[in-house]
Amino acid sequence: MPRLGADGAPPVLPIASLLLGALALALVGLLVLLSPAAFAGYLGLPRVVAINHVFTLTFVGLVFAGTLQQLPAVMFVTKLAWPRLGWLTLPLLAVGSVAVVIGFFRGFSAPWLAFGAAATSLAWVALVVQLARTAAQRWPKDPGSHALLLSALFLALAVILGFTLASARTTPSVAAQVGYPVQLHFTVGLFGAFLLGIIGSGQKLLSMFALSKGGPQWRVRYATYAVTAAILLEALATFARLPLITASHVLLAIACALQAWEVLNILRRRLRKRLELPIQRYVLAHAFLPLAGVALLFGEGGAAMILFLLGFVGLAVSGMLVKILSFLTWTWQFAGASTGGVSGGAPLLRDLVKDELEPIITWGLVLAAAALAAATIWSSALLAVVAGAATLLAGVALTAQASHVVGVTVRSRRRLAAAAAAAQATKTLEEARA
Amino acid sequence: MTETELTEINPAVPARNVLEALHAVIDPELGLDIVSLGMVYAVAVVDSQVAIEMTLTTPGCPLHGSIEADVRHCLGQVPGVGDIGVELVWDPPWTPDSMSAEAKRSLGFY
């Protein structure tokens, strides 16, 4: 039997990655608040694209990359391959993401974009190779793990496509060869990486946290097939100019519906009736999938993307961030501790979370997604201000929550270690007196 | 609920006492003890040696190291217990049906 889930990377790496990710969400809010007019107009402006990449590359990207340093060991029941590779990939990813954002803010600055896209591409390719090597040690059979594997592959592909887009802007020969496949970049990133990542990790984690065992997993399998097929069709439509876009969109809608159905099915079978607040947020995220679909049907592509990203992805990722961070810091501080676990005075995982912050994160993101989508539909800078303030509030609350989780755990461990040392000193003194 | 198999050969401490001591080991995620959760499949005591066969709610649970350490920590404080062996098994897999009625109730099962 292999050693199990604690066999991830050095814990400080994913913890730092998740903390930085939380901070990035607050930065998204601040940037929207500083540029409300941009969201009331054309969404292809460099400033909007930059803010979009703070969300996708820095918030979601860092949380996803940090999670990949721990979750595969749990899902595949094996050891993480090359656990110290994170020392290279995570800083590279952070630096590359910042460079990409600066590149967009500076009006599609070619040197910044080239450096940033190259760094993030390299980091994600290394992460995918690490994930594949980990899976190869004990090839997973469940569809959730397959979805997770594919999502990392698609995220690397989305970043590489971003690199291609940056190159096409500055190098005519690249533009002549591949055109400007921005729609494919969106589809691969939003659905291939984010939707499949949430499907894959969520299926395992939601079942675990809700104590929902042994249900059929065919929805996860077919959702994965649908997303993969949709991306292939869209690639053919982009590069071979075949009329397959509608078919691709239908498949993506089917995948979203299957995911929502799967979540409902897990909840229906669950034996833990009272879900924790971060898990409730993860579940609530799925309400944004039909909303995004409706926006798309009414021709509001920008609003649909905002509802999908800030609503669905934002709520789901922030929910899982709090739960995963609790596990990571607790095991970092207490696994194998000589004081024992909870019996020795360690806190319960739920005691690490400050409940008062959770509604601020949840409803802040809900309000932000609704207001920003409305701002793009009605070209309202005022609604964009509301969205920015709500995102900032949610991001600050998420950062405070993440810091609280880490702080409480570390302080508890230190207090227990000090108490154990004092007890040992007293015992030694008593023995010496005797 | 899981019925824990108790085995004793010339025991320095009764197996039932060992099982009782395991009530102090709490799952940090669920906040309930591992005996009430039905995770302890077998307790064997041979002289002063104690062997525990147990499971976790999920294979790959990241808390395995800490729960195992907590089992050793708790049993190490039981008078008469010498060597402690802890084996994690996945067959039969844990299901929520393994829990005691009280554990189910505290998780909102009823």
Side-chain angles (χ1 to χ4, degrees), chain A residues 177-194:
Chain A
Q177 286 287 321
V178 299
Y180 194 68
V182 69
Q183 193 59 45
L184 183 62
H185 174 61
F186 289 159
T187 304
V188 173
L190 266 57
F191 295 94
F194 298 162

Side-chain angles (χ1 to χ4, degrees), chain A residues 212-302:
Chain A
S212 179
K213 293 276 184 177
Q217 297 182 11
W218 62 268
R219 298 174 199 85
V220 175
R221 180 173 289 113
Y222 287 113
T224 308
Y225 291 159
V227 171
T228 308
I231 289 171
L232 288 173
L233 292 182
E234 188 141 335
L236 285 171
T238 304
F239 298 119
R241 307 267 188 271
L242 296 173
L244 297 169
I245 289 292
T246 305
S248 169
H249 288 179
V250 169
L251 285 171
L252 293 175
I254 289 171
C256 290
L258 286 170
Q259 165 63 1
W261 187 5
E262 174 66 12
V263 167
L264 287 175
N265 193 52
I266 290 172
L267 293 179
R268 203 164 41 81
R269 289 198 320 268
R270 80 187 191 277
L271 293 172
R272 193 178 189 178
K273 298 301 175 196
R274 288 189 297 270
L275 295 179
E276 291 175 77
L277 294 173
I279 303 302
Q280 289 180 20
R281 180 158 66 249
Y282 172 86
V283 172
L284 180 64
H286 294 79
F288 280 90
L289 287 175
L291 292 177
V294 169
L296 199 61
L297 281 176
F298 280 91
E300 297 290 347

Side-chain angles (χ1 to χ4, degrees), chain B residues 10-87:
Chain B
N10 193 25
V13 54
R16 185 148 296 283
N17 289 12
V18 171
L19 185 65
E20 196 59 35
L22 290 175
H23 277 285
V25 180
I26 308 293
D27 181 312
E29 160 67 5
L30 299 173
L32 296 169
D33 72 86
I34 60 172
V35 179
S36 300
L37 285 168
M39 291 178 180
V40 182
Y41 288 163
V43 173
V45 183
V46 179
D47 300 323
S48 64
Q49 296 177 12
V50 173
I52 307 294
E53 190 180 279
M54 60 175 291
T55 192
L56 298 172
T57 54
T58 307
C61 173
L63 300 171
H64 73 95
S66 57
I67 292 178
E68 192 181 323
D70 214 4
V71 167
R72 290 177 189 281
H73 175 77
C74 285
L75 295 186
Q77 295 174 342
V78 177
V81 169
D83 289 344
I84 301 160
V86 181
E87 190 186 1

Side-chain angles (χ1 to χ4, degrees), chain A residues 336-411:
Chain A
S338 58
T339 53
V342 178
S343 71
L348 296 174
L349 283 161
R350 61 172 176 252
D351 294 336
L352 306 181
V353 175
K354 207 173 178 65
D355 282 349
E356 302 91 301
L357 291 170
E358 286 299 303
I360 302 174
I361 304 168
T362 302
W363 298 111
L365 280 171
V366 168
L367 175 62
L372 200 58
T376 62
I377 293 171
W378 290 305
S379 301
S380 165
L382 180 63
L383 282 169
V385 169
V386 172
T391 312
L392 179 61
L393 197 63
V396 169
L398 185 63
T399 308
Q401 185 69 284
S403 309
H404 180 77
V405 167
V406 176
V408 165
T409 316
V410 171
R411 281 197 298 276

Side-chain angles (χ1 to χ4, degrees), chain A residues 158-173:
Chain A
V159 172
I160 291 168
L161 276 168
F163 192 10
T164 310
L165 289 172
S167 306
R169 278 186 168 271
T170 54
T171 314
S173 59

